[in-house]
């Protein structure tokens, strides 16, 4: 499926417009409350954002690259997502425990 050239630019810009303020809020909360759980969420958001931007890049270049490269890239993005979700769960457990401090 082909897309208009501008769609990828809008997708990337829209993603960054949403994710950068969210990361800023999490960073602010981490500094304000000094809870490591927010740090785990921040790591999750950074890794998730890298994976999402790689996915957008794959959408942009998939017609010009080999299917083996595309498959390996999808596998790497999946592994990055898995690691980011581990940090997400670690953050949930950390914030759920009242004794967890930085």
């Amino acid at each position: 499926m082909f897309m208009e050239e501008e769609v990828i630019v809008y997708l990337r810009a829209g993603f960054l417009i949403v994710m950068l303020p969210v990361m800023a809020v999490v960073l602010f909360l981490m500094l304000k409350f000094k809870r490591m759980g927010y740090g785990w969420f921040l790591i999750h958001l950074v890794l998730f954002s890298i994976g999402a931007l790689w996915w957008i890049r794959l959408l942009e270049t998939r017609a010009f690259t080999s299917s083996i490269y595309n498959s390996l890239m999808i596998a790497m993005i999946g592994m990055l997502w898995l690691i980011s979700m581990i940090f997400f769960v670690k953050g949930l457990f950390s914030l759920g425990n009242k004794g967890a401090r930085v």
Side-chain angles (χ1 to χ4, degrees):
M1 173 177 79
F2 292 103
M3 294 182 277
E4 294 296 323
E5 193 171 316
E6 301 86 22
V7 171
I8 297 295
V9 175
Y10 292 148
L11 184 60
R12 186 178 294 122
F15 179 79
L16 290 174
I17 287 170
V18 171
M19 289 306 287
L20 290 176
V22 169
M23 286 183 203
V25 168
V26 172
L27 184 61
F28 170 76
L29 291 171
M30 184 176 79
L31 295 174
K32 181 178 179 181
F33 295 111
K34 299 194 183 336
R35 301 281 309 257
M36 190 55 198
Y38 294 111
W40 298 122
F41 281 115
L42 188 61
I43 294 170
H44 157 72
L45 290 172
V46 168
L47 292 176
F48 179 81
S49 295
I50 291 169
L53 291 172
W54 283 356
W55 184 265
I56 293 169
R57 174 77 177 173
L58 186 64
L59 289 175
E60 185 177 34
T61 62
R62 75 181 186 282
F64 308 110
T65 57
S66 71
S67 64
I68 294 172
Y69 172 80
N70 292 341
S71 299
L72 289 173
M73 193 64 162
I74 291 170
M76 285 179 23
I77 293 168
M79 293 301 293
L80 191 62
W81 175 74
L82 170 70
I83 294 167
S84 80
M85 292 309 292
I86 290 169
F87 285 115
F88 180 83
V89 171
K90 190 167 176 81
L92 287 175
F93 281 123
S94 179
L95 289 177
N97 181 2
K98 294 218 181 246
R101 296 268 177 201
V102 172

